[in-house]
Amino acid sequence: MNRKILLAFIVSTVLFQFSNAQQNELWNGKKCAVVLTYDDAIDVDLDNAIPALDSVGLKGTFYIIGQSPVVAKRMNEWRIAAQRGHELGNHTLTHPCDATLPGRSWLTPEDDLSRFSVKRAQNEIRITSTLLQAIDGKAERSFAYPCGDRTIGGADFYKPLEKEFTGARGVTPGLQHSSEVDLNDIRCYMINGEGADYMTGLVKQALESHTLLVFLFHGVGGGHNINVSLEAHSKLLHFLKAHESEIWIAPMVDMAKYIRAKQAEKK
């Protein structure tokens, strides 16, 4: 066997072994990982989503807008949710998004991220973390970018905050192995009207590929123009519970810490 053929054989063997190791990756001893996230701190989180999760013993991450009236009016209920193991994640103080991007005509000047200074964006995120710690007593949590936006005038406002969160969820869809996850832009699937078959189909894909699957919900049974039906949401939760021996289901704060540790092992 000449050198070129030998080298090609060695390279192909290494690549095959690496690919095979990824395909058989375990997540906390299970075949795949799922994170259930809910955005915006709305009434149906407390009225529909959390009771549904509690009924099957699953934990979710609720990304809280600090100035949401539902936070002020129902603070003790959020505190109880955190005590039961649900994460209160940071979704900024006012949920600003970049109004210069297409499809953003619904934004007011006050909510236009492009009008913010980087310092203001960072201050409002830190204020929200302080508020959330006052509610749940916890110093660790994850972050979610409103609308997936993370820059102001080309400057990444989140980068200086990286060490203040275990990870940050974006809005780009995708299933990933732990080595592929960018903890500053974790991929997810936003659900808007899709049924239970679609959602359980994503879980089956994650099981087959041994990957991380993150769901992004807004309204559950109403309460938001981005919505999933109560029935479809319930069917997903019961499917996850029925396959809990194969699926690690955890809040984002814990999932991101696990991924960070796994990535550090490979360095």
Side-chain angles (χ1 to χ4, degrees):
M1 186 181 294
N2 65 41
R3 289 184 178 181
K4 287 185 179 180
I5 295 175
L6 178 60
L7 180 60
F9 174 76
I10 292 172
V11 169
S12 64
T13 300
V14 170
L15 289 174
F16 173 79
Q17 289 174 340
F18 176 73
S19 176
N20 191 55
Q22 279 197 319
Q23 289 299 317
N24 295 304
E25 177 180 9
L26 293 181
W27 292 83
N28 201 25
K30 299 186 180 183
K31 290 183 179 180
C32 73
V34 171
V35 181
L36 301 161
T37 71
Y38 304 79
D39 281 16
D40 296 353
I42 55 181
D43 281 315
V44 294
D45 288 340
L46 295 164
D47 296 335
N48 295 341
I50 289 173
L53 289 163
D54 288 346
S55 72
V56 291
L58 300 180
K59 310 304 178 186
T61 292
F62 291 82
Y63 284 115
I64 305 296
I65 301 171
Q67 73 167 15
S68 166
V70 180
V71 175
K73 292 177 181 178
R74 306 181 70 174
M75 191 172 293
N76 193 53
E77 292 173 77
W78 289 113
R79 183 173 289 116
I80 292 170
Q83 290 170 352
R84 289 177 177 168
H86 302 292
E87 178 192 2
L88 305 186
N90 190 320
H91 204 31
T92 75
L93 185 65
T94 59
H95 198 283
C97 299
D98 189 342
T100 67
L101 297 176
R104 300 288 177 81
S105 59
W106 52 273
L107 286 164
T108 66
E110 292 77 17
D111 299 326
D112 182 359
L113 182 65
S114 69
R115 296 171 181 249
F116 280 37
S117 67
V118 170
K119 190 66 175 176
R120 177 184 171 186
Q122 293 169 347
N123 285 344
E124 291 195 0
I125 291 169
R126 288 185 169 123
I127 287 169
T128 303
S129 286
T130 300
L131 169 64
L132 294 176
Q133 188 169 4
I135 296 172
D136 64 17
K138 298 176 182 179
E140 288 186 316
R141 68 189 77 251
S142 62
F143 178 76
Y145 303 99
C147 303
D149 300 339
R150 60 182 292 181
T151 61
I152 300 171
D156 187 339
F157 65 81
Y158 178 76
K159 191 166 183 60
L161 305 175
E162 286 179 7
K163 294 182 179 179
E164 298 178 29
F165 298 97
T166 63
R169 197 212 64 206
V171 297
T172 304
L175 300 172
Q176 292 185 301
H177 298 281
S178 62
S179 60
E180 300 168 328
V181 175
D182 178 357
L183 285 169
N184 297 319
D185 193 7
I186 300 168
R187 295 187 179 184
C188 69
Y189 285 86
M190 184 171 72
I191 302 303
N192 186 19
E194 289 85 358
D197 288 346
Y198 170 78
M199 293 187 288
T200 56
L202 288 175
V203 178
K204 291 173 183 177
Q205 289 179 45
L207 279 166
E208 291 171 2
S209 57
H210 293 245
T211 49
L212 169 67
L213 167 61
V214 179
F215 285 101
L216 163 53
F217 298 106
H218 289 80
V220 176
H224 201 287
N225 62 334
I226 302 173
N227 186 57
V228 64
S229 73
L230 285 173
E231 181 184 12
H233 181 258
S234 177
K235 285 182 177 179
L236 169 66
L237 298 189
H238 281 86
F239 180 86
L240 291 171
K241 188 66 178 180
H243 294 82
E244 201 171 16
S245 63
E246 299 178 285
I247 306 167
W248 181 34
I249 306 130
M252 185 66 82
V253 61
D254 298 325
M255 192 65 65
K257 286 169 63 177
Y258 177 86
I259 293 169
R260 191 176 301 277
K262 293 287 284 186
Q263 290 180 350
E265 288 176 4
K266 296 177 181 180
K267 288 183 178 179

